[in-house]
Amino acid sequence: MNVQTTMQAATRGRWAVAGIFLANGFLTGSWAPQIPVFLTRLDISKFTLGLLILLFGVGAVMAMTWCGHLISRHGSRTVLRWFGLCGSLGLLVVALAPNVPLAAIAMLLFGGSIGGMDVAMNSNAVVVERRLSRAIMSSSHGFWSLGGFAGGALGGYAIQNYGSLVHATVVTAIAFAVIAFAVRYLIAEDRPQVAEHQKFALPRHPIVYLVGLMALLTMVSEGAVLDWAALYLHQELGADLAIAGLAYAAFSGVMALMRFLGDGVRNRFGAVATLRGSALVAAAGMFVAGLSPSPWLAIAAFAFCGFGIANMVPILFSAGGNQEGMSSGTGMSVVTTMGYSGILVAPSAIGFVAEHSSFGPIFIALSGLLVIVLLMASLAHRAEFAAEPDDFRSDRPEIIRL
C-alpha cells in the first residue's frame, strides 16, 4: 500500500471514528431526558433510581477494565464494531424494561456497551493519530460533546410530543445507522502485539497509573460542575432555576468549542505545554467560581474552567494510549477506567461533604486538584507526536520495547 493510499485510508478512518464519538455522545445525551420518564414509569423512588444509575456506571467500569485485553487480542476496530453496534441498542432496551429487575439488567448492559465503546473509540483515535502523525483526540471529543448536546436538546421535545418509546426507537435507529456506516471505514493497528495476548493482566508500568490519576482528578472536577454547579448557584448564590442552569451550559458549550480548536493548539505547542496551560486556566476558573459572590461571575468562571478542562482529558487519553510496552487498548483501558471512576465517585462524595459544609470551599478544593495535574503534566509526554514513517510498514518485524 503506497503512502497516498495509506493517508487516504487514515483520513477516512479519522472521520469514521469521529462519527462513532458523535453517536456515543448522542446516545449518552439522549438518556438524560429519559430519566424523569424512567422514574415515573417504573414508579420507583429517587434512591432506587440512583442505584439503577449506579449500575450503569458499574457496567461501564467493568467493560472498560476488560476492553484493553480484548483490544490487544482483536484490535480496536473489531472491538469497536462489537461494542458500537450493541451500544446503539442500549437506550431502547432500557426504555422497554417493564420492571425494576429487568431495568437493572438493562442498565448494566447499557453502561457496559457504552463504556466498552468509549475505550475502543479512544484507542482507535490513538491509532489514527499515529497514522496521521497529528492530534485528532480533542476534536473527536468535540464531536462527542456535540452529540451529547444534540441528544439532550432534542430529547425533551421528542419525549414530550411523541413519547419516550418513540424517542428511544428513533435515537436507536439514528445511532445504529451512523455506527454501521462508520465502522466500514475504521482503520486497524498494523500488527497485533502478541506478547499481550496470553492472558489478562494489569500493566506493570507505573506511569500509566499516574496518567490515570491525572485523568481521575480532571474528571472529578468535570463531574462536579455537571452535578453540583446549578445547585450551588441556586442555593448559595440566590440564582433562579433558569439562570442556575446556565452554569453547566456555559461550561459544556465552551468546552465543546475549545475541543474543536484544541488539536490545532496541541499540534502547535505540544501536548505537555497545552496540558499545563489548560490545567492553569481550569484551576483559576474553578477557584474564582468557589469565591464568587454573584451567580453571573460564577457562570463566567465555570465557562473559563470549561475552556481549560476541554483538552485535558483528550491529551491524557492520548498519553495513556501511547505508553511504551503495551498496546493502545491496554493503556487506554487503565486511563479511562480510572478517569471515569472519578465521575462515578465524585457526586456522592461531594454531596456528603456539601451536607456539612457549602459548595464554595468544595470548588476551591477542586481547583487544588487541577493544580496537581499541572504539576504532573510532564508525565503526559507520550502524547507528543514523533511518528516514524516505518511504523506502518507491513514488512517491519514486530518490536515491543520495554
Side-chain angles (χ1 to χ4, degrees), residues 7 116 181 322 380:
M7 291 303 293
F181 179 78
N322 281 293

Side-chain angles (χ1 to χ4, degrees), residues 158-172:
I159 291 171
Q160 181 176 336
N161 288 277
Y162 304 105
S164 61
L165 188 57
V166 172
H167 167 255
T169 302
V170 172
V171 168
T172 298

Side-chain angles (χ1 to χ4, degrees), residues 54-356:
L54 180 61
L55 285 176
F56 178 95
V58 169
V61 170
M62 288 173 61
M64 287 175 176
T65 303
W66 278 94
C67 201
H69 177 61
L70 293 174
I71 291 171
S72 70
R73 289 183 60 86
H74 304 289
S76 62
R77 180 174 63 180
T78 299
V79 175
L80 185 49
R81 284 173 174 169
W82 297 346
F83 279 108
L85 294 174
C86 291
S88 65
L89 304 174
L91 182 65
L92 182 59
V93 172
V94 171
L96 289 171
N99 53 51
V100 172
L102 290 178
I105 297 172
M107 289 293 288
L108 193 68
L109 294 176
F110 186 30
S113 61
I114 291 295
M117 186 178 172
D118 197 289
V119 174
M121 69 189 188
N122 278 286
S123 297
N124 195 260
V126 170
V127 176
V128 175
E129 286 186 325
R130 292 174 180 170
R131 193 70 58 90
L132 295 175
S133 299
R134 61 181 176 85
I136 62 111
M137 188 69 80
S138 289
S139 58
S140 295
H141 281 255
F143 279 105
W144 187 94
S145 298
L146 184 63
F149 176 79
L154 299 176
Y157 174 82
I159 291 171
Q160 181 176 336
N161 288 277
Y162 304 105
S164 61
L165 188 57
V166 172
H167 167 255
T169 302
V170 172
V171 168
T172 298
I174 293 173
F176 186 88
V178 170
I179 293 169
F181 179 78
V183 294
R184 300 166 55 197
Y185 299 101
L186 293 172
I187 65 172
E189 298 86 343
D190 281 332
R191 300 171 305 273
Q193 291 182 298
V194 296
E196 296 194 21
H197 286 187
Q198 304 303 316
K199 61 181 181 178
F200 172 78
L202 292 173
R204 297 181 180 179
H205 301 278
I207 297 298
V208 72
Y209 296 103
L210 293 175
V211 174
L213 175 62
M214 295 162 69
L216 187 151
L217 297 179
T218 302
M219 296 181 79
V220 162
S221 299
E222 183 177 343
V225 178
L226 168 64
D227 292 304
W228 300 112
L231 198 61
Y232 169 52
L233 264 67
H234 181 60
Q235 289 189 349
E236 298 185 18
L237 299 183
D240 60 35
L241 291 176
I243 293 176
L246 294 176
Y248 184 69
F251 177 84
S252 60
V254 171
M255 178 184 291
L257 176 63
M258 190 57 197
R259 279 178 168 171
F260 283 114
L261 300 174
D263 290 329
V265 174
R266 180 176 156 201
N267 286 324
R268 179 173 181 179
F269 297 104
V272 172
T274 302
L275 181 59
R276 283 181 177 140
S278 298
L280 180 61
V281 169
M286 194 73 81
F287 186 79
V288 172
L291 291 175
S292 175
S294 74
W296 289 109
L297 177 59
I299 290 170
F302 283 127
F304 195 66
C305 184
F307 181 87
I309 284 182
N311 292 308
M312 294 173 68
V313 169
I315 289 172
L316 293 170
F317 280 8
S318 286
N322 281 293
Q323 293 298 307
E324 291 186 273
M326 66 186 74
S327 71
S328 63
T330 300
M332 188 66 69
S333 178
V334 171
V335 174
T336 53
T337 301
M338 292 182 68
Y340 282 105
S341 294
I343 286 185
L344 293 175
V345 172
S348 57
I350 291 174
F352 175 80
V353 174
E355 287 184 359
H356 301 85

